[in-house]
Amino acid sequence: SGHVTGVQTCALPISTKFHTTMNELVKTIDELYAAFKTDAELQAGKNNKAAGLRARKVSLELEKKLKEFRKTSLAAAAK
């Protein structure tokens, strides 16, 4: 699995910046989930212990990004 970089923001108008951030978050979450799913299936199907370690590591990154998505989404809804 490859390393997924964090979300970067730029000096765009707030609505454009929000959509860019949300789109980047969704893309990052999608990439992390794909990596998690691959490794989790390897662990479950072939008892690949290294894949299990990778899946657990990615699950922590995924959790952080999901919390960031929730925070960003709630902030947008409050406006």
Side-chain angles (χ1 to χ4, degrees), residues 6-28:
V7 175
Q8 297 177 353
T9 58
C10 56
L12 296 172
I14 191 70
S15 62
T16 304
K17 184 177 178 181
F18 169 75
H19 290 295
T20 301
T21 301
M22 290 298 286
N23 288 338
E24 289 174 357
L25 271 171
V26 169
K27 181 180 176 193
T28 300

Side-chain angles (χ1 to χ4, degrees), residues 1-76:
S1 69
H3 178 70
V4 180
T5 59
V7 175
Q8 297 177 353
T9 58
C10 56
L12 296 172
I14 191 70
S15 62
T16 304
K17 184 177 178 181
F18 169 75
H19 290 295
T20 301
T21 301
M22 290 298 286
N23 288 338
E24 289 174 357
L25 271 171
V26 169
K27 181 180 176 193
T28 300
I29 290 168
D30 189 43
E31 291 169 355
L32 286 169
Y33 180 74
F36 167 78
K37 185 174 189 257
T38 299
D39 288 331
E41 287 173 348
L42 282 172
Q43 181 189 20
K46 298 183 179 179
N47 200 26
N48 184 326
K49 292 180 182 180
L53 178 64
R54 290 190 302 269
R56 289 189 299 275
K57 182 178 177 185
V58 170
S59 73
L60 295 174
E61 293 177 45
L62 187 56
E63 179 184 25
K64 290 176 190 174
K65 291 299 175 185
L66 288 168
K67 285 181 180 181
E68 184 178 344
F69 176 85
R70 184 173 189 277
K71 181 180 175 182
T72 304
S73 178
L74 286 171

